[in-house]
Amino acid sequence: MTEGDLQKGYEPREVEARWYKYWEDQGVFAASDAEDDNRPTYHVPMPPPNVTGSLHMGHALRGTLEDALVRYHRMCGYNALWQPGIDHAGIATQTVVERQLLRAGVTRHELGRDEFIKRIWEWKAESGGRIALQQRVLGASADWARSKFTMDADMSRAVREAFVQLYESGLMYRATRLINWCPECQTALSDLEVDNEEGANGELFEFAYRVDGSDEQIVVATTRPETMLGDTAVAVHPDDPRYKHLHGKMLVHPFVDRLVPVICDAILVDPKFGTGAVKITPAHDFNDFAVGKRHGLAEINIFTSAGAINENGAQFQGLDRKRARTAVKHALDEKGLARGSKPHQLNLPRCQRSGGVVEPMISTQWFLSMKEMASAALDAVRTGKTQIIPAEWEKTYDHFLENIQDWCVSRQLWWGHQIPAWHGPNGEIRVARERPAECGADWVQDPDVLDTWFSSALWPFSTLGWPDKTAALAKFYPASDLETGYDILFFWVARMMMFGIHFTGKPPFKRVLLSGLIVDETGEKMSKVKGNVIDPLDLIYGASFSDIISKTLPGAPEAEALTKFRKAYPSTANMGGGFPAFGADAVRFTLATYPPSNKRIALTPKRIEGYRHFLNKIWNATRLGAELLGEFPAVPTKPARVTSLVNRWMLSRLHHTIATCHTAFDEYRIDEASLELYRFFWYDVCDWYLELVKPMLRAGVDPAVEETKATLAYVLESSYRLMHPLIPFITEELWQRFPKSTQAKSIVVAEYPRAENVPADPAAEAEMAMLQAIIVAARTIRSEHEVHPAAGVPLTIRCADARALEKLRAQSAAISLLAKTEGGVAPTFELADASSNKKARPAGSTVSVVATESGAVEVVVGLKGLVTAEKERARIDRELKKIEKDLAAIAKKLSSPSFVDKAPAEVVQEAHAQQKTLIEAQGRLVAAQELVSEL
RNA sequence: AGGCGCGUAGCUCAGUGGUAGAGCACUACCUUGACACGGUAGGGGUCGUUGGUUCAAUCCCAAUCGCGCCUACCA
């Protein structure tokens, strides 16, 4: 599986293809129900994607974060369960199959309910749930053997059980109310399934009603003229002087044989808006419905379920909504009642699924009483039994539950959980788990199905076997974390909270982790219309822009689609013909670097490329590591005793990185873990550690070779395990090739590094910081004078602190190596004193002064022939200016008596210490400046 | 209308009551036996605006401007 040498460059396609099957074959993702398994449990329910869906960036983000959490906990020794599944997605699925049938010229009604459902199951077997395979491409470590489909027999049983329990406790009831109706889907919708399109352009149309028995008129304004067919009153404000004389008068409906009263309603009517008179259509407007209830008005439904005018609409019967509007306006005009119109912006309620305009309709539906359950769900968060992270979402959660309306749960669909209620011949209703024996042949089951979110709300426990008391339920409920997008906080999270508490007595999770929504690089929502959708698989496998475009804007001219796409993703400008295969790991790592507080995550392909380079870096560091370790046989356990500065420093860095990762994962700051690992591996490990030990290990004569090999092996192997939750494929590949610290068959089940196993070494860190500062200073001088990287330079280090100087002298090999001294000879070390400030530097040399914890250190670089007096004067001036600026700031602080008196002692002391070092550095620079002329 | 949030380097974003950080982009030099998917060094920000609290504010408070999202909605 991992034979042969590592090739020069990292090729994700080649590496990633191999590991997923191995993991599944080895069963490393399986959680255990066994009673004798005493490990603590960690359970994350996966938000079940729609059976119609395919992987999009949102799934990729969810999948990355959840997988990282699950893999982290699994490696930390938890019995980790990531519960996967698929949602049956009522309307969406029904629509997909219906459309397919329509292409064959058949409607579902011609087919009949049973046959139609059979066809859906056939469709599902063939092409449904493909997303579960795509999630595997991403590396999702779910326990697939436990996967559930919300229409499975056991899931359906849980749904029926829940419904019956809710009915028996009086929370589930049937009522006739004004509800949201989608004429396109021909079903009721819950409030949450209605999206408001803001600022739609419409018009405010005015027309007159004649007052019965008089030639007076009253003018009303409306954005929906056709609904006047259902008007049963005109309301005015009781105090409005314009209409006082009309109170109680009747108006003549121009098309229907009906008199309509003028009523007074101070709640609804704003006398300043429009004409101050409002037509009232109780059967088709939520406000009007309330007015109707207050005044006992008739509710006249004027629409068919498909949104056409029904028999109550006089001569307009049969016209659909849009035509009816034109026709009514025209007819009013003919009668001389139209009073013109003006443009008006309004909000259009649209069906989330079909996009059709939602019609308020009076209808008999099943409702679920929410108040009690909502209050329990609120308490769970208030008392901290469930924690919402980031906490700013708590307010949104509270606001929703405090203002929640009863949930309309019935849907006039065929695909879904049919409501377990039976209607008798005389209007009786029986609710039961199975068809009751006493219900004869003349009883029919309620034809409606439940809102898809009803079964989703049971997800955290129905998947574990509820209502049975299973071992899985006992072990894994409540779940540990739920991770999802904030956009379904209401739809799903709040409802799971309510159902979880109601049915099990316990909130379903300890933490709810919310993440943002992925948008394009310019911050626009991804949508087909905008042509800015990116398929995560195209990022993983690579794709040409013309392929990408053919998916984003099918049918559009390629040039136009490409322009749109480029505009949405400016960073792709220099990416040639398309995305290279970034690989799942690079996509994951990129997504992991966005903090959860980001509501919108602007996907920047260039950023993925950057992290793809990081993976290449890890790959090549491993190649180097393998070379340096040679036939190194030891298993990388922590080196027993480490004496050299670089090794002590390296282990201390590792200690801090491990600690940071644990904190970050525990606090759901995966972004912080990612960035720390990036920083650690690239800078600490590659730029410094590997560069420092490379020549020594190649030479192989230094007495520290053995401990360095041990440290190197240990650090690399630990790094793979540290990074594995984020980038599982490459780390498995490299780890399998490396000497291992464990017998584990996969890094998936290897132990996550623990900080207490590696010592922190503050002294080594401080010493190394000084060393690094000196090396950087020397390199800066080289660079400023354009010394060729291969050329060596003579180097002198001067410092007034004898102990510091000795420490530096001990690192002379490191300084020679990284600052590149002439012929690799050791730098000259000089103890500085007052007189040495004036001591002449070698001709043609330049100096930099580094402020360290041990005072100012002079770094003198010999640059024969490269340095001129002017140039040197200028650079010393630059350094001086910087120091003077810093000194001025400190002096200002220290000269303020209130600072010295009131600031904490340590802050004042630190300022003094800084001042001292800076003054020393300043003195050296001034002296150096005076010597410039001698160059 | 109400709620929430955001405005920090050219771009995408971190961050902290004590003299500003990352990635990418940019500039210069360099193909050195892990890596040019690379190395070394560098330039770049009065942290939206105005007040206040504080010894000290980018960070806390208030106001203001701009932007985004959510909930509700005037016919």
Side-chain angles (χ1 to χ4, degrees):
Chain A
M1 186 146 260
T2 50
E3 277 153 42
D5 287 340
L6 291 173
Q7 56 191 79
K8 185 174 170 188
Y10 168 54
E11 289 296 335
R13 298 189 69 150
E14 193 271 323
V15 170
E16 290 179 3
R18 279 186 267 125
W19 288 108
Y20 205 90
K21 190 175 180 306
Y22 176 78
W23 291 331
E24 282 206 292
D25 290 347
Q26 297 291 320
V28 288
F29 300 156
S32 162
D33 288 350
E35 267 182 50
D36 58 353
D37 188 325
N38 294 319
R39 291 176 296 166
T41 59
Y42 180 74
H43 171 204
V44 175
M46 180 193 287
N50 286 355
V51 65
T52 57
S54 57
L55 197 75
H56 57 59
M57 287 310 304
H59 295 125
L61 176 68
R62 301 277 96 74
T64 297
L65 299 175
E66 288 163 34
D67 193 47
L69 287 168
V70 170
R71 284 180 187 264
Y72 166 74
H73 281 92
R74 190 183 286 120
M75 291 177 77
C76 285
Y78 287 81
N79 181 5
L81 168 60
W82 190 10
Q83 171 66 54
I86 303 279
D87 191 274
H88 68 279
I91 297 182
T93 310
Q94 180 162 322
T95 309
V96 165
V97 177
E98 225 173 339
R99 242 183 249 143
Q100 207 176 44
L101 287 173
L102 228 50
R103 260 177 260 136
V106 195
T107 70
R108 72 179 154 104
H109 297 279
E110 286 163 6
L111 219 53
R113 183 164 183 154
D114 289 347
E115 181 59 26
F116 180 66
I117 288 174
K118 211 178 115 199
R119 296 289 178 93
I120 295 185
W121 280 106
E122 282 167 15
W123 170 87
K124 193 236 167 195
E126 203 175 310
S127 48
R130 196 177 297 160
I131 190 166
L133 297 173
Q134 299 173 325
Q135 288 173 313
R136 288 168 167 87
V137 172
L138 203 69
S141 69
D143 189 350
W144 295 106
R146 295 175 191 252
S147 187
K148 296 288 184 188
F149 179 49
T150 50
M151 285 294 284
D152 285 345
D154 49 350
M155 297 291 100
S156 299
R157 178 175 156 241
V159 165
R160 287 196 302 276
E161 177 67 30
F163 188 94
V164 171
Q165 282 191 24
L166 290 167
Y167 180 77
E168 285 171 352
S169 62
L171 293 170
M172 184 69 77
Y173 62 93
R174 219 164 130 77
T176 302
R177 287 198 186 156
L178 198 60
I179 48 98
N180 296 297
W181 182 268
C182 175
E184 289 185 30
C185 305
Q186 301 223 15
T187 178
L189 302 172
S190 74
D191 300 341
L192 288 180
E193 289 163 293
V194 180
D195 285 336
N196 282 306
E197 180 193 337
E198 287 190 30
N201 289 319
E203 59 173 24
L204 200 57
F205 177 79
E206 295 191 351
F207 69 93
Y209 271 112
R210 265 194 317 108
V211 178
D212 188 33
S214 126
D215 46 10
E216 266 200 277
Q217 293 183 339
I218 189 166
V219 177
V220 295
T222 179
T223 53
R224 306 182 56 204
E226 70 282 8
T227 61
M228 63 83 66
L229 296 170
D231 282 359
T232 53
V234 168
V236 297
H237 194 278
D239 302 332
D240 191 336
R242 290 174 295 179
Y243 301 116
K244 275 220 157 122
H245 63 294
L246 294 177
H247 292 181
K249 290 272 168 51
M250 300 303 273
L251 308 171
V252 180
H253 197 287
F255 306 121
V256 188
D257 183 17
R258 177 160 82 229
L259 288 179
V260 168
V262 176
I263 59 169
C264 295
D265 196 287
I267 298 172
L268 177 80
V269 181
D270 172 4
K272 291 192 285 293
F273 187 91
T275 61
V278 187
K279 62 186 275 307
I280 303 296
T281 322
H284 296 292
D285 182 284
F286 285 95
N287 285 312
D288 293 4
F289 183 77
V291 173
K293 288 294 181 206
R294 285 199 287 275
H295 297 271
L297 301 175
E299 294 152 359
I300 298 173
N301 177 21
I302 60 161
F303 288 119
T304 67
S305 64
I309 303 295
N310 68 10
E311 68 282 4
N312 293 325
Q315 73 261 38
F316 303 99
Q317 182 175 357
L319 296 178
D320 72 32
R321 289 177 290 174
K322 211 175 158 195
R323 291 194 165 183
R325 177 170 301 178
T326 319
V328 166
K329 282 163 67 178
H330 191 68
L332 283 168
D333 197 31
E334 280 182 343
K335 291 199 181 243
L337 295 170
R339 291 292 177 271
S341 65
K342 53 188 172 199
H344 182 71
Q345 289 214 329
L346 69 159
N347 297 333
L348 270 184
R350 288 188 178 277
C351 169
Q352 213 169 49
R353 277 288 152 208
S354 69
V357 176
V358 166
E359 204 64 59
M361 298 259 237
I362 288 181
S363 172
T364 303
Q365 303 284 343
W366 288 94
F367 291 88
L368 183 55
S369 176
M370 291 277 98
K371 246 194 156 50
E372 254 174 67
M373 281 192 262
S375 144
L378 278 165
D379 273 352
V381 170
R382 276 191 196 132
T383 58
K385 280 183 202 143
T386 299
Q387 204 187 346
I388 296 179
I389 300 174
E392 63 207 52
W393 289 107
E394 273 177 32
K395 284 182 186 166
T396 311
Y397 175 86
D398 287 354
H399 184 262
F400 170 71
L401 287 175
E402 280 161 5
N403 297 288
I404 196 164
Q405 301 293 311
D406 283 358
W407 178 10
C408 174
V409 293
S410 42
R411 296 288 178 277
Q412 286 62 51
L413 305 174
W414 287 356
W415 177 240
H417 300 289
Q418 197 171 348
I419 291 175
W422 284 264
H423 299 269
N426 304 312
E428 313 95 309
I429 293 181
R430 291 292 317 272
V431 169
R433 287 159 185 85
E434 305 295 338
R435 185 186 182 95
E438 67 270 28
C439 292
D442 48 353
W443 285 64
V444 291
Q445 185 172 1
D446 196 304
D448 291 351
V449 301
L450 286 164
D451 183 354
T452 309
W453 292 105
F454 188 94
S455 54
S456 309
L458 305 169
W459 189 248
F461 44 98
S462 62
T463 49
L464 297 174
W466 186 89
D468 293 336
K469 291 185 164 52
T470 59
L473 192 64
K475 217 172 186 38
F476 292 107
Y477 189 89
S480 316
D481 289 338
L482 177 84
E483 192 282 335
T484 191
Y486 68 81
D487 54 324
I488 54 173
L489 181 61
F490 304 150
F491 282 104
W492 195 43
V493 180
R495 284 166 176 169
M496 283 190 288
M497 288 292 290
M498 292 192 280
F499 275 22
I501 297 167
H502 183 79
F503 290 110
T504 73
K506 283 185 244 169
F509 343 93
K510 297 186 191 89
R511 301 194 304 178
V512 171
L513 314 175
L514 297 169
S515 54
L517 262 33
I518 303 220
V519 295
D520 75 17
E521 206 175 323
T522 63
E524 295 288 324
K525 229 172 178 167
M526 285 194 194
S527 78
K528 279 249 155 80
V529 183
K530 288 184 192 133
N532 61 353
V533 176
I534 286 188
D535 181 344
L537 295 177
D538 286 345
L539 295 170
I540 293 172
Y541 293 134
S544 71
F545 285 132
S546 57
D547 280 352
I548 295 164
I549 265 99
S550 68
K551 281 191 275 183
T552 56
L553 274 179
E558 188 165 320
E560 183 197 320
L562 189 62
T563 307
K564 275 193 174 183
F565 186 81
R566 294 280 204 188
K567 211 175 150 193
Y569 298 99
S571 79
T572 60
N574 296 318
M575 276 193 187
F579 295 141
F582 292 122
D585 282 338
V587 172
R588 288 171 61 112
F589 198 88
T590 307
L591 294 173
T593 59
Y594 291 94
S597 55
N598 258 26
K599 283 194 187 171
R600 335 192 88 220
I601 293 172
L603 185 72
T604 314
K606 198 72 186 160
R607 193 157 155 168
I608 305 173
E609 187 181 81
Y611 290 121
R612 163 77 181 74
H613 294 169
F614 176 54
L615 301 181
N616 189 56
K617 191 76 180 174
I618 299 171
W619 184 267
N620 278 292
T622 302
R623 291 178 66 213
L624 176 62
E627 180 218 310
L628 296 177
L629 293 170
E631 294 302 306
F632 190 71
V635 282
T637 51
K638 190 190 76 178
R641 209 171 60 88
V642 158
T643 54
S644 83
L645 175 65
V646 273
N647 290 332
R648 284 167 55 211
W649 169 80
M650 186 71 264
L651 291 178
S652 186
R653 293 311 312 146
L654 178 62
H655 167 90
H656 286 298
T657 299
I658 295 172
T660 302
C661 285
H662 279 280
T663 309
F665 273 110
D666 292 344
E667 291 176 352
Y668 184 48
R669 288 302 302 266
I670 296 167
D671 57 312
E672 290 187 344
S674 316
L675 295 174
E676 168 61 14
L677 287 166
Y678 183 96
R679 195 206 57 70
F680 168 75
F681 197 84
W682 201 311
Y683 303 135
D684 293 345
V685 176
C686 293
D687 289 352
W688 289 99
Y689 187 71
L690 286 174
E691 291 304 327
L692 280 167
V693 302
K694 190 159 56 174
M696 183 246 269
L697 289 181
R698 281 194 177 129
V701 291
D702 195 290
V705 160
E706 283 313 306
E707 73 162 55
T708 302
K709 279 189 172 186
T711 304
L712 171 59
Y714 184 67
V715 166
L716 286 177
E717 197 267 351
S718 298
S719 298
Y720 306 142
R721 285 183 285 129
L722 271 175
M723 296 190 281
H724 178 258
L726 300 165
I727 43 175
F729 294 102
I730 189 175
T731 48
E732 177 79 288
E733 171 81 15
L734 299 176
W735 185 83
Q736 291 284 355
R737 290 167 175 273
F738 219 74
K740 300 180 201 53
S741 60
T742 131
Q743 292 305 305
K745 56 195 165 192
S746 163
I747 193 172
V748 172
V749 288
E751 187 194 50
Y752 203 71
R754 296 195 298 169
E756 61 266 33
N757 288 345
V758 196
D761 191 336
E765 299 238 8
E767 210 174 308
M768 184 71 180
M770 180 164 71
L771 185 65
Q772 288 174 319
I774 286 161
I775 290 167
V776 166
R779 296 209 284 214
T780 301
I781 290 174
R782 294 176 55 110
S783 177
E784 276 172 356
H785 294 283
E786 294 179 10
V787 177
H788 190 102
V793 290
L795 203 62
T796 303
I797 309 290
R798 286 180 184 159
C799 167
D801 183 323
R803 286 187 54 205
L805 192 69
E806 281 322 298
K807 281 181 181 167
L808 288 171
R809 194 195 299 277
Q811 301 307 321
S812 71
I815 298 172
S816 299
L817 175 68
L818 295 186
K820 206 123 200 173
T821 56
E822 199 165 30
V825 300
T828 308
F829 292 89
E830 291 180 5
L831 189 63
D833 53 33
S835 65
S836 78
N837 269 357
K838 300 268 186 251
K839 194 172 156 193
R841 281 185 272 132
S845 72
T846 185
V847 67
S848 179
V849 179
V850 184
T852 74
E853 280 190 356
S854 309
V857 177
E858 277 179 79
V859 179
V860 184
V861 181
L863 293 167
K864 208 169 275 177
L866 285 171
V867 60
T868 64
E870 293 91 312
K871 216 169 167 180
E872 180 63 0
R873 198 169 281 126
R875 72 170 308 283
I876 293 179
D877 267 344
R878 258 202 322 273
E879 278 195 32
L880 264 175
K881 271 216 181 93
K882 217 172 151 191
I883 286 179
E884 278 160 12
K885 194 183 143 213
D886 292 350
L887 268 175
I890 292 179
K892 191 182 159 201
K893 235 194 234 181
L894 287 171
S895 66
S896 154
S898 46
F899 172 74
V900 182
D901 293 346
K902 294 187 180 173
E906 63 217 52
V907 173
V908 178
Q909 207 178 342
E910 198 189 312
H912 277 295
Q914 271 178 350
Q915 192 182 35
K916 193 181 156 220
T917 306
L918 286 172
I919 288 172
E920 189 192 352
Q922 189 184 31
R924 305 229 175 175
L925 281 168
V926 169
Q929 186 75 293
E930 285 164 9
L931 292 169
V932 163
S933 50
E934 295 173 18
L935 286 170

